[in-house]
Amino acid sequence: MDHKYIRKLVFSIGIALGICFSLKSQAQIFNKNNYVTINPTDDSITIVNKAARVTPSARQLRWQELELTAFIHFGMNTFTNKEWGDGTENPSLFNPKKLDAKQWVKVCKEAGFKQIILTAKHHDGFCLWPSKYTEHSVKSSPWKDGKGDVVKEVAEACKEYGIGFGIYLSPWDRNSKYFGSLKYNDYFINQLTELLTNYGRVDEVWFDGANGEGPSGEKQVYEYNRWYELIRKLQPKATIAVSGPDVRWVGTETGYGRETEWSIVPANELSVEKIAESSQKKVEFAPRDLMSKDLGSREKIVKAKSLVWYPAEIDVSIRPGWFYHSTEDDKVKTPEKLTDIYFSSVGRNGVLLLNIPPTTDGLISDSDIKALDGFKEHLNKTFNTNLLAVGLKEKGNKNNVLDNNSNTYWSTKAKDNTLTVSFKMNNAQKFDVLLLQENLKIGQRVEKFVLEYKVGKEWKLITEGTTIGFKRLLRFPEVTASEVRLRILSSRLNPALAEIGLYKQAAF
Ligand code: FUL
Ligand code: CA
């Protein structure tokens, strides 16, 4: 089966069915800053200004600032050497004799990852924690004589190393006899409650879009709203991704986000039929097609009925598969490839969710560690020195864009939607990377910018782009210059430039 096709299909079905909220619960799902209604009388300028003022919730901002998060796909598939189990697997197969969650967390942390999401239950229904509600779990396995709890070990290791902890809980459960019946809704809520109450703070809850039939041959109609309300109640700081309201799937599993990536997208659509049906107003939160090239341009937002802050997460595996297969040991992505992905995910206003799957021993393999080491070393070397700050004659009021702090910024007066910042360096510098950041507490506003350098009396183009958002990275052929300027040519309201940097890429 083709995952991507199924995911797309499921998203479309999910969205078509309407992932709906009553106004009461909508208040819990969104806040007054990350959601805005468009009035039928609003003209396009008013709508664009409204979009410019939509800002992330505190949980969304914390999540965005992480930049790098790690996925850990581990479970029954690790032992059956599959990607999708069908739920009939015997728990006796699960026996990761050397499992060391601290090794997982240490490897991830040393590679720069700030949070880990563990597959507590994948589509095969096997639970990595001893759930009270099923026998299909670690408690029926030989690992630690059925007394082990992978979720607990990972949660504790994350706490010890000071990084975030998240859970992936597959709504699709090919083992549960309840799947496809009303009873499954309670089963799912019970499992979610266990995970949200027994393991301390949870920072992200990841609901996959893949869906199919359970053992009974029936499909399940999910109670999304009930899940979201439970998470908000038990773990109010957790972001809910990607079949959820806080974080959006970027639309591909390649690791490459859009060049133009808006975090403010139409929240579509007040459905008249649904209002009539239930006499309650219901609102869908997601853009209709997560895979389309353009989600948030002016053209899209002026047609919207409401707008929401809904940023992109880019999930990709370090290997071809999501689960570990020894035959893929020589297909681990190289440091060069991982760096390219970094530039095209984090560097395109997204958060990278990189999957690093442990082996049947229960350890991250040497091949993956080596690739991550190379990746981290390369990034450290490249971003070690902001050449603009080092060689600058007088920082003066430019300090705000050179202080490595995304909260301090440079702006113009209201109604001035362009901005030029010029820099004269002591000596000519060689560089081939531009870094830009906006202050998201003000909003995502920039629509077009150019970077130029001075040759004699003339300004020449180095590179140009559209959106910035939390971070924009652009690479270009090496330039040697002592005078450069950034011109923001178009912005939805006055732009708030938080950082600018010029760097020279390290060699591999
Ligand atoms: C997909 C799943 O079907 C894969 O197995 C994996 O978990 C990936 C992250 O999401 O839809
Ligand atoms: Ca700053």
Side-chain angles (χ1 to χ4, degrees), residues 166-430:
I167 49 161
Y168 167 115
L169 186 67
S170 170
W172 184 24
D173 188 321
R174 305 179 81 183
N175 174 269
S176 172
K177 60 177 187 274
Y178 304 129
F179 195 85
S181 75
L182 282 177
K183 269 195 170 164
Y184 183 74
N185 291 326
D186 291 340
Y187 178 74
F188 193 73
I189 281 286
N190 286 336
Q191 293 200 324
L192 195 53
T193 307
E194 288 183 318
L195 292 169
L196 298 176
T197 40
N198 298 338
Y199 300 98
R201 179 167 154 176
V202 174
D203 296 289
E204 185 162 349
V205 182
W206 216 91
F207 295 125
D208 187 46
N211 195 6
E213 286 147 16
S216 67
E218 294 296 316
K219 281 205 167 191
Q220 184 73 31
V221 178
Y222 298 130
E223 292 183 322
Y224 292 98
N225 211 19
R226 218 175 136 198
W227 314 347
Y228 303 157
E229 279 174 10
L230 186 74
I231 298 165
R232 288 290 194 255
K233 192 172 125 216
L234 298 176
Q235 295 283 350
K237 294 196 166 143
T239 44
I240 314 175
V242 292
S243 294
D246 302 318
V247 170
R248 143 174 78 84
W249 182 50
V250 74
T252 144
E253 288 174 347
T254 58
Y256 292 78
R258 294 173 185 77
E259 298 249 11
T260 301
E261 189 63 84
W262 285 103
S263 293
I264 307 117
V265 294
N268 293 334
E269 274 175 34
L270 283 171
S271 155
V272 181
E273 296 82 358
K274 294 232 164 65
I275 297 167
E277 258 169 44
S278 61
S279 76
Q280 263 186 328
K281 279 191 180 178
K282 292 191 175 184
V283 174
E284 289 180 16
F285 69 83
R288 289 214 164 253
D289 183 1
L290 292 166
M291 296 172 99
S292 82
K293 199 164 166 237
D294 175 15
L295 297 178
S297 67
R298 285 191 188 216
E299 208 190 330
K300 292 274 170 181
I301 61 171
V302 295
K303 292 185 204 135
K305 301 205 170 93
S306 51
L307 298 170
V308 67
W309 188 274
Y310 199 31
E313 179 172 66
I314 295 114
D315 63 326
V316 60
S317 185
I318 195 167
R319 292 160 165 265
W322 290 102
F323 286 87
Y324 177 83
H325 311 291
S326 58
T327 48
E328 294 180 352
D329 279 348
D330 58 355
K331 295 191 182 69
V332 175
K333 292 188 172 63
T334 60
E336 285 93 326
K337 179 70 178 172
L338 293 173
T339 302
D340 199 42
I341 286 176
Y342 175 83
F343 271 90
S344 312
S345 53
V346 175
R348 290 181 179 172
N349 188 30
V351 169
L352 175 60
L353 174 57
L354 182 72
N355 180 59
I356 309 159
T359 65
T360 45
D361 276 345
L363 295 168
I364 292 177
S365 79
D366 290 343
S367 42
D368 301 38
I369 296 176
K370 209 168 146 234
L372 291 169
D373 282 349
F375 165 66
K376 182 66 184 42
E377 199 193 325
H378 181 81
L379 287 191
N380 283 351
K381 280 192 191 153
T382 300
F383 291 103
N384 186 32
T385 311
N386 182 353
L387 299 168
L388 208 46
V390 169
L392 196 66
K393 272 188 182 148
E394 271 180 37
K395 278 193 194 165
N397 59 359
K398 295 189 178 104
N399 202 42
N400 274 358
V401 289
L402 298 170
D403 61 357
N404 210 10
N405 175 353
S406 54
N407 288 314
T408 53
Y409 62 99
W410 174 317
S411 192
T412 50
K413 291 196 185 78
K415 296 208 173 139
D416 188 355
N417 295 356
T418 62
L419 174 73
T420 302
V421 209
S422 309
F423 299 88
K424 246 189 205 167
M425 293 171 269
N426 276 334
N427 303 306
Q429 302 284 345
K430 285 184 195 312

